[in-house]
Amino acid sequence: MNGATWLSYSLQDFVMFGPEVFLRLFARINQDLWPWLLLWPLAGLVLPWFGRQAAELPRRLAMALAGLAWIGCGYLFLVRYYGPVNWPATGFGWAFVVQGLLLLLLKGRALPAPMTWPAAVSWWLAILLLPWLSVLEMPDLWALALFGLAPGVTVAATVLLFARQPSPLRWLLLALPLAWTLFSAATYWALGTFWLLGFPVATLVLLVVAFRVNPSPAQTPDSQSVRPGPGRQSP
Amino acid sequence: MLELSRRRFLIGVGLSGLAVASPRLMAAGSSAGEQAFHSRPIPSTGESVPAIGMGTWITFNVGGDQYLIDQRTRVLETFLERNGTVIDCSPMYGSAADVIGAGLDKLHAHDRIFAATKIWTSDGSETREQAATSERRWGIDRFDLLQVHNLLAWQEHLATLKEMKAEGRVRYIGITTSHGRRHSELARVMETEPLDFVQLTYNVLDREAEERLLPLARERGIAVLVNRPFQGGSLFRRFQSEPLPSWAGEAGVGNWAEFFLKFIISHPAVTCAIPATTSVEHMQENMGAMYGQLPDASQRRMMAEYVRQL
Ligand SMILES: NC(=O)c1ccc[n+]([C@@H]2O[C@H](COP(=O)([O-])OP(=O)(O)OC[C@H]3O[C@@H](n4cnc5c(N)ncnc54)[C@H](OP(=O)(O)O)[C@@H]3O)[C@@H](O)[C@H]2O)c1
């Protein structure tokens, strides 16, 4: 195709499903997984409590829970439910699963330092308030976008953890959330589901918050204690 | 796949000769009490198809959502009840083929349709494989029409489609474009290849096809499927709040859906317009355009002028 042909396409030409189909994905997955779906938001609620501990093990657990959330929304929401109506969602879904596995494998490099209170509060606000955005679009409680299942909420909350990682791991972990943010914003815009634009916007806001409330891990005293240095071997 | 019913046979054989001369004369009905509907002959065989078909881009891509699959089945049922047969799809349309297949299963309607899909792959050796996959998804033995989607790898696909037609694996072959893209290239294919169908965008605002492609289709005896008859729905968004012209009734137009569709199917080169909808009510409106009087050439000019002024 030449340049002129490409220019004749609009964003809407790339969206192959309607808003009703997309919004019903939230309700369908919640109804199909009821009551087990409650495990994900519960995990989301306790995650900052683990993340705030000084001991390393609970912080590893926090990262592992985040990993499970990524696997949950990658495989269930994106691959199983969203993929059949939108090809790129399947690719994103498997990438989410790989990112989740990466988080599980991170082990000792989990959270370099305990989560700060502002980060924890931002986290809770994200997973308690953002789910209602999909209900504002589709007035049905079943349509709640839950942490661990809905990608928008999961991505927005977990960037708070990824921004804590030392470079270059931080940027490796942030690449997919940023790609998803761009992709989902374009999709919601084209669908005309403007409330859902709150997910990508919240992700960017939380990213800024994360960088502001979390000084670079390399500069925090407690981060030095958990990061393996040249003279120190991790077990 | 379409099995010729007695009614369609009569329409096809008895009236196909008149159709080219005057689309108005092509309204046909089977028996007293049943309203006449407009159909058009496929020039390469003379077989008739109803002048309004059904597209499935976006509208039938509902994934595994059983509630929406049932709802789209009702849309399909309404289409069939109103004598629609031509259904257009593509492997590009996500789950649409599966949803059509589920609907046809439920309505036991596999033999009541004119099944049209596309070959959409840049791999020119995958034509047969993709057609077979689509047949399985629709639950049919063979397609009535296979089209090369958006001229993608058209040389390779068309060569295979010609073989498939010769073998009886498909009844008609064609090629598609949309949004007014690549008309010169499509014209070259129409001039040199033995096509049964072309599919292109034509509506009361997008009229580029009138210049070259529609006259060429008539000259070469190629049937024309018209996509984006409502410009993807934007014609309604722009004009639905406006009144119809005072002379609409004289042109056989009772609502905006009929205005847009009758404008298209009254063009003498057009075989069938394929609007898409998610709604039973809209399907009823759209199929309404297949009945009653059609605008003549001067009324068509007035229609185009009216929307241009709005
Ligand atoms: N390159 C290609 O081969 C190509 C490209 C484009 C399209 N196509 C084919 O052509 C078909 C038609 O084109 P399209 O789907 O892009 O656009 P279209 O048929 O021009 O417009 C579809 C839109 O019109 C709305 N609509 C339908 N009937 C209506 C009514 N009576 N009142 C109000 N709104 C109505 C539908 O909304 P509701 O759901 O609310 O009714 C839908 O949003 C496609 O589905 C596809 O099969 C092929």
Side-chain angles (χ1 to χ4, degrees), chain A residues 150-174:
Chain A
V153 183
T154 310
V155 169
T158 48
V159 292
L160 287 162
L161 303 182
F162 302 156
R164 306 234 58 199
Q165 300 295 329
S167 290
L169 179 63
R170 171 199 294 172
W171 297 110
L172 179 74
L173 291 178
L174 283 175

Side-chain angles (χ1 to χ4, degrees), chain A residues 8-9 13 16 24 28 85 87, chain B residues 61 63-65 67 91 94 181:
Chain A
S8 68
Y9 285 92
D13 292 328
M16 51 194 277
R24 282 183 50 81
R28 284 173 59 211
V85 293
W87 311 116
Chain B
N61 180 22
D65 189 330
Y67 169 81
R181 292 176 192 129

Side-chain angles (χ1 to χ4, degrees), chain A residues 47-63 106-120 123 158-166 169-170 210 213-228 232:
Chain A
L47 188 146
W49 184 78
F50 288 127
R52 282 195 46 73
Q53 304 300 312
E56 199 180 302
L57 190 67
R59 279 187 280 145
R60 279 193 204 180
L61 199 61
M63 215 56 174
L106 272 176
K107 293 191 175 162
R109 301 186 73 182
L111 269 181
M115 272 175 105
T116 58
W117 267 117
W123 175 284
T158 48
V159 292
L160 287 162
L161 303 182
F162 302 156
R164 306 234 58 199
Q165 300 295 329
L169 179 63
R170 171 199 294 172
V213 300
N214 297 324
S216 164
Q219 295 153 20
T220 54
D222 52 355
S223 72
Q224 300 295 329
S225 64
V226 290
R227 271 181 358 134
R232 194 168 172 269

Side-chain angles (χ1 to χ4, degrees), chain A residues 42-136:
Chain A
L42 275 178
L45 283 175
V46 297
L47 188 146
W49 184 78
F50 288 127
R52 282 195 46 73
Q53 304 300 312
E56 199 180 302
L57 190 67
R59 279 187 280 145
R60 279 193 204 180
L61 199 61
M63 215 56 174
L65 286 177
L68 289 176
W70 273 72
I71 293 171
C73 82
Y75 181 67
L76 291 171
F77 191 94
L78 293 175
V79 175
R80 294 287 304 276
Y81 284 76
Y82 192 13
V85 293
N86 196 15
W87 311 116
T90 307
F92 268 108
W94 288 119
F96 270 51
V97 170
V98 170
Q99 173 120 345
L101 291 173
L102 187 68
L103 295 176
L104 290 179
L105 293 173
L106 272 176
K107 293 191 175 162
R109 301 186 73 182
L111 269 181
M115 272 175 105
T116 58
W117 267 117
V121 170
S122 306
W123 175 284
W124 280 316
L125 284 177
I127 68 163
L128 290 173
L129 295 183
L130 292 179
W132 298 92
L133 289 174
S134 45
V135 178
L136 286 172

Side-chain angles (χ1 to χ4, degrees), chain B residues 201-212:
Chain B
T201 296
Y202 177 55
N203 58 56
V204 72
L205 285 189
D206 300 317
R207 297 172 54 203
E208 200 188 326
E210 283 176 358
E211 285 159 29
R212 178 128 184 244

Side-chain angles (χ1 to χ4, degrees), chain B residues 15-16 39 53 69 71 73 82 104 120 122 139 178 241 263 269 278:
Chain B
L15 295 168
S16 60
S39 61
I69 293 173
Q71 195 278 339
T73 301
R82 312 265 151 149
L104 293 177
W120 179 67
S122 54
S178 67
S241 57
F263 174 83
T278 56

Side-chain angles (χ1 to χ4, degrees), chain B residues 54-59 72 88-90 92-93 118 147-150 176-179 181 199 201 203 226-237 240 255-257 274-279 281-283 285-286:
Chain B
M54 181 178 92
T56 54
W57 165 242
I58 297 183
T59 52
R72 298 308 190 263
D88 177 73
C89 191
S90 167
M92 184 196 180
Y93 301 172
K118 306 185 190 98
Q147 309 153 96
V148 181
H149 196 151
N150 284 350
T176 82
T177 187
S178 67
H179 298 72
R181 292 176 192 129
Q199 186 183 136
T201 296
N203 58 56
V226 171
N227 62 39
R228 294 177 55 81
F230 304 136
Q231 215 180 41
S234 68
L235 292 186
F236 286 106
R237 290 189 285 276
Q240 204 163 28
N255 56 43
W256 276 108
I274 47 169
T277 181
T278 56
S279 138
E281 289 72 30
H282 289 171
M283 177 58 82
E285 268 183 20
N286 298 348

